[in-house]
Amino acid sequence: MTDNTQQSPDANGPNSAIPADLPTQYAPAEVEGKLYERWVERGYFEADAKSGKQPYTIVIPPPNVTGSLHLGHAFQHTLMDALTRRKRMQGYEALWLPGMDHAGIATQNKVEQQLGEEGKSRQDLGREAFVDRVWRWKEEYGGKILGQMRRLGDGVDWSRERFTMDEGLSRAVQTVFKKMYDDGLIYRAERIINWCPRCLTAISDIEVEYQEDDGELVQLKYGEGEETVVVATTRAETMLGDTAVAVHPDDERYQHLIGKLIKLPLTDRSIPVVADSHVDPEFGTGQVKVTPAHDPNDFEIGRRHGLPMLTVMDERGVITAHGPYQGLDRFEARSAIVAALREQGRVLEEKRPYVHSVGHCSRCKTTIEPRLSMQWWVKVAPLAQAAGDAVRDGRVAIHPADMSSRYFDWVDNMHDWTISRQLWWGHRIPVWYGPEGEVVCVGPDEEPPAGEGWHQDPDVLDTWFSSGLWPFSTLGWPDSTPDLEKFYGTDVLVTGYDIIFFWVARMMMFGMYVMEEPPFHTIALTGLVRDEHGKKMSKSFGNVVDPLDWMDAYGSDALRFTLASGANPGTDVPIGEDWVKASRNFANKLWNATRFALMNGATVQGPLPEASEMAATDRWILSRLNEVLAEVDGYYDDYQFAKLSDALRHFAWDEVFDWYVELSKTTFAKGGRPAEVSRRVLGEVLDVTLRLLHPVVPFVTETLWTTLTGGESVVVAPWPQDSGFRDAAAEQEIATVQQAVTEVRRFRADQGLQPGQKVPAQLVLDGTALVAHEDAIRQLLRLQPAGEGFQATASLSVAGAMVGLDLSGAIDVEAERKRLAKDLAAAEKELAQTGAKLANEAFLAKAPDHVVDKIRGRKEAAEVDIARLTQQLERLP
């Protein structure tokens, strides 16, 4: 080891926690936390809006304040961190701004659960006290995930941490609401919405999860005699709110009924039969019950025909219609109503099982109830048009491009967005109502109207309203700030394809509306993390993994490298513990190989020697280094994290450690100028390789790089540049060495030799590319010199050279001959049997294609085995 790598860092310097002499084993837990805190303390992740550097900004999907790190977070954060770290090393002013979302429903539920344990409700506290309680909960329990982000190594600018309920972000929300209200893009209307009877609030379409539920389809008879209709339903309880029956206007079967009034069972009402083209005459009886206040399609029919809209259940799903069912839960009423109709002979057939798609609240999993309600809405058509155009005209690129169809399917068919929520935690709608029906929307710098009879709207805004403003509200908008000028629009949004609808489209709409330019230039869509069998991770499946457990066991780098290695654009990522162990082994390989190199004097001191001074192995590895660097740069620019990780793993492990280091050992042992050259080349290769690996595995590379170079930190080290050095001749020469060594190793294994077993050998390398590498080849293959009286008992030709081996003292030749002969006989028997089957025309005519293919594959494998075993027998003495 040179003086540079042996010297002890200043006790107060940047590397004081890292020993100059690396321990024999890498212990992630002993270094990760210290390294991360040092990075933060030294301000490496803080961006300077006043610098002259080109900005690079990444939008972080703000995690819920109630959340904790899961594998999906770890996956996307690893990719975002890798992008940001590389750009920082490339000299960009890189900003990755952290923060959290207030998560309206989820957070309110948490606090209401606490109150329930105390025997209280939010109504007992009142609105103001309840909101204070939520803020206290947030300070005490919220934001757990922020600490876990540090554990993962997220290089975010903590000095700019934001929260969607911060004063500044709240001001942005109120400003946007006021602007949209004044522009006619926000309005209030009574419509059918998705209602959660558990959360007691409206939720938007994208917050509804559909799943296949077991239900019961019943056919009900309304009316009497010729004025009888038959309708089918899975929600019999809603018939109490029916105000019509609809048929298709061209359905000849029911022309006589259109305009007639029929008796609605179990009520004192008669309802009309209306003609509406929405009805599918081919589905069921072609007669449809119409419940405008409890079904979105029925609501539209009701509006077209001016039907009454009767609400027959309350916010908790309890029946409110007068009669014997009043006070029953909706599911209790369903059974009771069907039973009553059956007694009257109005159930035409018994209930039959019916699996259908049913909406559930994405947060509490309660079955959604469509409900007529007065809510606030965003008119999305002009906003969605702008969001779509930004992608169509190339201002925003979606990667991979084939995912664009998902985006267009959503923005081109978007319905108006219901933004009001019947909650207390969140951004309260800035609208006041007066005693004479006045409606006043108030901006952040305006005084709300006061006086008797004035009151503010009680609802709050959908959480996605404020998070949709995230790319610019976090940078200080609506004020004109240096951050906003420097870092908006951001460069890339890394997010899962599953939230295109939730978040991506909303940010696009708001960015185009407010800032008049897209919030990001590229949308890099990832897949979802699944278990090692490709199955969705779910508590019900018992396959959910806490990433902290794997980080505890194997280190953060191991988890990060595993996730990056599976990150093909837009494709789901399977992950299993064995893969994390393999990544831990890679980190250990980096550690051990670098430690070996340092012990053998690898150095970064001084310029690289001239190519004329280098051996072929030196020129080869430098040529390959530059090729890999160019590959990695290309993969980063194309968001191909799996490919760049694979390229780096293969280069570091296979080419640098398993070949270059091994080929150089004899050079190091001989000393002299060739050894000095190789030590400097090895130092260069390690320096660049560790910098290339750093964005994905930051902790182990920081430890190794600072020890190797004595530099301040790899976090702020320059990203490597392709020097342009290539040497095709050296690459071909080393490829020949690799071929020869690989073939002899295979031969040794075939002869039953152990990898470390030494045997006498004679090498005839004259006139080949192997001549200069004889010492290294002998070292790699454990071949001893051929002594006096040497006699080869086996020989082979490789890469134009001859290798003779004396195996007489290494193996039991007779036992090996018997073993090979036995295996050969079995292979010949397999060939005969499979050949006979494939020659049998009757078998070929009857057997399925996959069976024939399997037999054909067995025959081909037997032929290969026979050739191999025959050759091995011939080589035996």
Side-chain angles (χ1 to χ4, degrees), residues 526-579:
T526 70
L528 309 180
V529 179
R530 298 185 178 273
D531 72 10
E532 58 192 309
H533 306 295
K535 192 174 183 180
K536 179 181 178 180
M537 288 192 174
S538 167
K539 290 180 180 178
S540 60
F541 296 153
N543 61 352
V544 173
V545 175
D546 184 343
L548 295 172
D549 292 340
W550 282 350
M551 286 193 280
D552 287 342
Y554 309 113
S556 299
D557 285 331
L559 176 63
R560 290 171 61 115
F561 196 75
T562 304
L563 292 166
S565 297
N568 291 299
T571 303
D572 288 347
V573 183
I575 185 172
E577 187 167 9
D578 285 346
W579 304 343

Side-chain angles (χ1 to χ4, degrees), residues 20-41:
D21 295 318
L22 292 173
T24 56
Q25 291 184 328
Y26 177 48
E30 295 180 10
V31 300
E32 289 180 350
K34 295 176 183 177
L35 286 179
Y36 188 83
E37 291 310 313
R38 177 170 292 109
W39 293 336
V40 173
E41 289 167 7

Side-chain angles (χ1 to χ4, degrees), residues 58-322:
I58 283 191
V59 176
I60 190 172
N64 286 352
V65 67
T66 61
S68 59
L69 190 75
H70 57 63
L71 277 175
H73 289 129
F75 171 52
Q76 291 182 356
H77 284 214
T78 293
L79 306 187
M80 288 184 276
D81 193 37
L83 291 171
T84 311
R85 284 177 181 269
R86 172 175 174 259
K87 286 296 184 179
R88 187 178 292 115
M89 295 172 75
Q90 287 182 315
Y92 287 77
E93 196 63 61
L95 172 61
W96 188 23
L97 188 150
M100 293 183 298
D101 190 281
H102 65 279
I105 295 177
T107 308
Q108 179 157 319
N109 282 346
K110 288 278 188 184
V111 178
E112 288 197 77
Q113 288 170 9
Q114 273 191 349
L115 289 174
E117 293 169 3
E118 300 169 13
K120 298 177 183 177
S121 69
R122 59 173 162 139
Q123 286 77 17
D124 293 332
L125 270 66
R127 183 167 193 145
E128 185 175 345
F130 176 78
V131 171
D132 287 343
R133 175 75 175 253
V134 180
W135 275 108
R136 292 201 304 272
W137 181 93
K138 182 258 182 186
E139 295 303 320
E140 186 172 356
Y141 301 105
K144 175 182 178 183
I145 193 171
L146 298 180
Q148 296 167 340
M149 287 165 56
R150 301 170 90 94
R151 177 73 190 283
L152 186 65
D154 282 6
V156 295
D157 185 347
W158 293 109
S159 70
R160 285 177 165 86
E161 181 187 336
R162 305 305 297 267
F163 179 54
T164 51
M165 291 282 286
D166 283 349
E167 182 179 351
L169 272 65
S170 296
R171 185 166 178 265
V173 168
Q174 192 173 352
T175 302
V176 170
F177 188 99
K178 169 70 171 174
K179 175 176 170 59
M180 295 179 75
Y181 180 87
D182 290 345
D183 288 347
L185 294 173
I186 285 181
Y187 64 95
R188 193 169 184 242
E190 189 175 42
R191 292 184 178 177
I192 289 285
I193 47 90
N194 303 298
W195 182 266
C196 177
R198 160 63 182 81
C199 298
L200 299 180
T201 183
I203 61 176
S204 65
D205 291 344
I206 57 175
E207 295 169 294
V208 178
E209 292 179 350
Y210 287 90
Q211 65 185 48
E212 297 297 310
D213 283 2
D214 293 330
E216 292 176 330
L217 187 68
V218 292
Q219 286 193 342
L220 307 177
K221 183 177 71 172
Y222 295 178
E224 301 290 348
E226 292 186 359
E227 296 176 358
T228 297
V229 298
V230 176
V231 298
T233 183
T234 58
R235 301 168 65 217
E237 70 280 7
T238 63
M239 61 86 60
L240 298 176
D242 287 358
T243 57
V245 170
V247 298
H248 194 278
D250 299 330
D251 194 332
E252 294 295 334
R253 296 172 295 175
Y254 307 126
Q255 291 297 310
H256 68 288
L257 289 174
I258 297 173
K260 296 289 181 65
L261 292 175
I262 60 172
K263 181 72 173 179
L264 181 64
L266 307 182
T267 72
D268 294 326
R269 294 188 292 113
S270 292
I271 59 177
V273 178
V274 299
D276 196 280
S277 58
H278 171 77
V279 179
D280 181 0
E282 302 298 322
F283 183 77
T285 64
Q287 298 171 321
V288 176
K289 63 189 288 295
V290 182
T291 320
H294 293 279
D295 182 273
N297 293 322
D298 294 3
F299 173 77
E300 295 301 329
I301 294 175
R303 287 212 304 182
R304 285 194 289 271
H305 296 276
L307 299 174
M309 300 192 181
L310 302 181
T311 299
V312 295
M313 65 182 77
D314 68 10
E315 63 208 21
R316 298 182 184 276
V318 174
I319 300 298
T320 57
H322 293 300

